[in-house]
Amino acid sequence: MAAAPNTPTTFWSSLTSGFLLLAMASLLTACGAGSDGEPASMPMGSSDNPYTVPFSSPAYLREHARYLEEELFRIGDTPVWDYNTPNRGFGNVIMIEGDDGVIIVDTTTAHEHAAVAEKAFREITSKPVAAVIYTHHHADHISGGGAFVDPAAAASGEVPVIAADNFLRELEDENQVTAPIMGLRAMYMYGQLLDPVGDGRDYHVSCCGYTLGGQRKSYIAPNQFISDRQELTIAGVRMELFQTGGESASHLAIWLPDYRVMLSGDELQGPNYPNLHSLRGTKPRDAMKWIGAIDRMRAYGAEHLVPSHGQPLSGADVVEMYGTVKHNVREYYVAYISWWNGDPAELDPLPRVEKARRLVELMGGRERVFAAAEAAFAEGDDQWVAELTAYLVRLDRDDMPARHLKAAALRRIGFATANTNWRGFYLTAARELEGAVQPRRVVEQLQQTRFIPDDLTMRQLLSLLRFRVDSAKAGDRHLAVAYHLTDTQEAYTLELRNAILDIHEGVHPEADVTLTLERPVLNRLFTGELSYRDALKQGSMALSGAPGDLRAFGQVFDLDPGQPYLSLR
């Protein structure tokens, strides 16, 4: 059932690059800095766009940045320290000092950021790390563990690394499967592609900090898991860990009864309206669970509330600033009712481009629509400008006057916006329209961000392929390729049938191809350091079965990231 053969070089290289495209678990869903190669975002002066918009930012946005100043807080007279945005990063690191060791809660977005906190903690105490606790699976909480713990000590269980029992599943669902599009959208939302001396002035992510990623991440996988609620004593420190599941499904809160301290993770994030839906893309966040989490934490009567973003709470009023009612409500309508608004005319609407063509024609053609948009811009009706020019851009991506006008409207809206999620999207989309941000290059650079396959189980690595099967290429092929790791004694079979990819534990007796190798070789295949062809040639991988079947298997995957425009579409 194999298709017509491809050339060996094309096959081996394409399969490897396909793995690399998919193996972006290091995205944070926050993955900004640390890419190599030519910048995906380049400064562009306002003179390139004839519609100049003077820079501005709301006073409250600038004032709010004080909550994110890099600072080490001691929580009252307790042995709890909270390092706010170490290294001007993204997320806090908390230390609890015990009798003969310290407990680290959350490890921020990158090793470099975590190392700054570790150095500050070492000036307080030289006691060894007795445990690490992750409040949840988001990458801005788990990516610097190596600054505190030797990976071998964690792997052996010598140092507990504690998380919720659904941590690994949620990590795979939210940080790996949708990594390419979520990574791109995160770069927009968090302002990581803005020119820091241009549109990016005064920009910060109001919940969390400044720089998302770094040159290195050092995630340490958890080795101990909490179901519902559990009381622990670590290094003489009594604590209660309980699942909350509001801001993320894997969320834990930590109560220290002897000190009346509640560590809230991301369920509370300082003086911010909660982000119950993230525009970068996430699984739905359950508002009722979030409310329940807040009520549950309140019931303890804590004297100190220490979040994993921003300063410890001190009675500041909650402001709408990070999340918004508008986009939260839309997500919950979808989650509880569905995406459909009830109008049957919208069950099977016209394709976007066709609708744009008909509307522009109905309104008198391109010139009349553009003139109306320019008039609206002169009147300050920027939302209408953005909507009108969207039709023109949709019909002709090379219509630079329309692109410039839409960019100017989005920039003016963005400058007036205090919500940093919205601000990031408005201002970065303007740069995309002007050509200063090229989404495909952003995705390609994210592919080059350092990726550590050991962060994932063998099954997680292989499962990334499930979402890249091209049904047209797959057709009615039925193929099974098994991977057998001789050093870890793990084996899985990937079965292609009905244009879907199933993963079975073990080597299936009817596998068309069996690949025998060690885990380090599999890792190198995923990072692109080694091609399948070279692995076979060098003898670091053995193949049982027909090479043509493996070649046919490799041909069914869609390896092209395309041009994932967000505004220019």
Side-chain angles (χ1 to χ4, degrees):
M1 302 180 68
N6 200 346
T7 61
T9 301
T10 302
F11 165 63
W12 300 121
S13 62
S14 66
L15 187 57
T16 300
S17 63
F19 279 155
L20 182 60
L21 173 66
L22 296 164
M24 295 194 295
S26 59
L27 294 177
L28 174 33
T29 343
C31 40
S35 300
D36 299 321
E38 186 179 1
S41 174
M42 298 171 289
M44 174 171 283
S46 60
S47 60
D48 294 305
N49 188 332
Y51 305 98
T52 57
V53 178
F55 175 84
S56 65
S57 60
Y60 183 72
L61 176 70
R62 301 190 299 273
E63 155 70 10
H64 184 84
R66 66 186 176 89
Y67 291 104
L68 302 173
E69 291 178 1
E70 185 175 357
E71 186 174 355
L72 178 62
F73 295 92
R74 183 174 183 180
I75 310 305
D77 59 358
T78 76
V80 181
W81 282 264
D82 177 15
Y83 201 128
N84 193 29
T85 62
N87 200 38
R88 284 178 62 84
F90 196 90
N92 298 3
V93 182
I94 298 163
M95 181 183 76
I96 307 164
E97 184 179 7
D99 296 335
D100 56 357
V102 300
I103 301 107
I104 301 297
V105 178
D106 289 341
T107 62
T108 192
T109 56
H111 188 93
E112 302 96 298
H113 304 329
V116 170
E118 194 275 340
K119 181 179 179 181
F121 294 155
R122 284 291 160 239
E123 295 177 0
I124 297 169
T125 177
S126 61
K127 295 174 184 176
V129 173
V132 172
I133 302 174
Y134 295 138
T135 60
H136 59 296
H137 68 276
H138 289 166
D140 50 328
H141 297 259
I142 66 173
S143 298
F148 304 99
V149 177
D150 183 339
S156 69
E158 177 186 346
V159 177
V161 180
I162 302 169
D165 58 2
N166 59 349
F167 177 97
L168 293 177
R169 183 180 71 245
E170 295 300 324
L171 177 66
E172 179 177 358
D173 280 356
E174 207 168 49
N175 284 10
Q176 294 161 20
V177 172
T178 57
I181 187 60
M182 285 179 61
L184 175 65
R185 290 172 67 122
M187 297 286 276
Y188 278 56
M189 187 171 97
Y190 296 133
Q192 299 297 291
L193 300 174
L194 296 177
D195 178 3
V197 298
D199 292 352
R201 282 172 284 173
D202 297 337
Y203 192 89
H204 59 276
V205 182
S206 60
C207 71
C208 310
Y210 298 88
T211 304
L212 270 66
Q215 294 295 325
R216 177 184 172 197
K217 80 184 189 77
S218 56
Y219 163 69
I220 304 292
N223 56 31
Q224 184 172 326
F225 298 93
I226 302 296
S227 298
D228 187 31
R229 172 189 173 276
Q230 189 170 338
E231 294 181 0
L232 299 174
T233 299
I234 302 174
V237 177
R238 294 195 305 133
M239 62 183 69
E240 178 185 337
L241 281 67
F242 55 95
Q243 289 183 295
T244 53
E247 196 271 349
S248 72
S250 69
H251 211 291
L252 292 173
I254 304 164
W255 169 241
L256 306 178
D258 295 335
Y259 309 115
R260 313 299 297 173
V261 171
M262 179 66 72
L263 307 184
S264 65
D266 278 6
E267 300 290 20
L268 291 171
Q269 300 179 8
N272 290 299
Y273 181 77
N275 204 24
L276 296 177
H277 170 63
S278 179
L279 296 176
R280 64 176 167 80
T282 59
K283 296 170 69 175
R285 296 172 178 175
D286 192 319
M288 298 310 296
K289 285 186 178 179
W290 179 76
I291 293 169
I294 302 304
D295 287 344
R296 188 171 181 182
M297 288 189 288
R298 287 176 61 190
Y300 284 84
E303 295 179 12
H304 305 283
L305 188 63
V306 184
S308 288
H309 288 300
Q311 299 177 2
L313 294 186
S314 56
D317 292 336
V318 173
V319 179
E320 187 179 297
M321 177 68 189
Y322 180 54
T324 73
V325 172
K326 285 185 176 180
H327 74 240
N328 285 348
V329 166
R330 291 176 189 172
E331 173 64 18
Y332 279 90
Y333 186 91
V334 169
Y336 282 90
I337 305 300
S338 90
W339 56 267
W340 181 47
N341 64 10
D343 182 356
E346 298 192 19
L347 286 173
D348 188 17
L350 289 172
R352 289 161 54 92
V353 174
E354 176 60 16
K355 180 179 178 180
R357 185 189 68 77
R358 294 190 188 188
L359 286 175
V360 169
E361 181 180 315
L362 188 65
M363 288 186 281
R366 188 266 177 199
E367 298 307 321
R368 290 194 64 179
V369 173
F370 184 80
E374 275 199 315
F377 185 75
E379 296 172 1
D381 193 355
D382 295 311
Q383 181 60 37
W384 185 229
V385 176
E387 293 186 23
L388 282 177
T389 51
Y391 294 125
L392 302 181
V393 171
R394 200 162 293 156
L395 289 176
D396 181 6
R397 286 184 182 152
D398 294 328
D399 188 340
M400 290 307 299
R403 286 171 57 168
H404 282 144
L405 184 54
K406 182 178 179 181
L410 294 181
R411 184 168 281 119
R412 200 150 62 182
I413 296 171
F415 284 161
T417 301
N419 179 285
T420 57
N421 292 349
W422 288 23
R423 188 179 182 93
F425 272 110
Y426 282 127
L427 298 182
T428 310
R431 288 171 59 76
E432 178 191 313
L433 287 158
E434 293 169 336
V437 167
Q438 299 179 26
R440 182 185 176 105
R441 281 169 53 193
V442 176
V443 171
E444 289 171 346
Q445 287 192 11
L446 291 177
Q447 291 173 217
Q448 300 168 11
T449 303
R450 293 192 179 187
F451 166 64
I452 305 173
D454 277 333
D455 287 354
L456 304 177
T457 65
M458 180 185 180
R459 184 186 181 95
Q460 288 173 329
L461 278 177
L462 296 176
S463 71
L464 295 175
L465 285 173
R466 295 166 54 206
F467 305 94
R468 302 298 295 187
V469 174
D470 185 320
S471 60
K473 294 178 181 177
D476 61 355
R477 288 173 175 163
H478 187 185
L479 291 168
V481 175
Y483 290 76
H484 176 218
L485 301 187
T486 55
D487 53 344
T488 65
Q489 295 304 311
E490 296 175 277
Y492 288 94
T493 299
L494 305 182
E495 181 187 11
L496 178 70
R497 59 177 181 82
N498 299 325
I500 63 172
L501 195 66
D502 281 340
I503 300 180
H504 307 287
E505 191 168 357
V507 174
H508 196 282
E510 297 182 5
D512 298 288
V513 174
T514 298
L515 301 173
T516 304
L517 64 166
E518 295 183 345
R519 178 61 194 261
V521 177
L522 182 66
N523 291 348
R524 293 179 66 202
L525 292 173
F526 268 81
T527 60
E529 298 174 46
L530 181 67
S531 71
Y532 276 59
R533 183 185 188 185
D534 287 345
L536 291 170
K537 184 177 180 180
Q538 296 169 6
S540 56
M541 180 174 70
L543 183 152
S544 174
D549 286 340
L550 181 60
R551 181 177 297 113
F553 181 76
Q555 289 171 340
V556 306
F557 298 102
D558 180 4
L559 309 179
D560 187 355
Q563 183 58 277
Y565 292 119
L566 296 189
S567 186
L568 187 56
R569 63 187 183 94

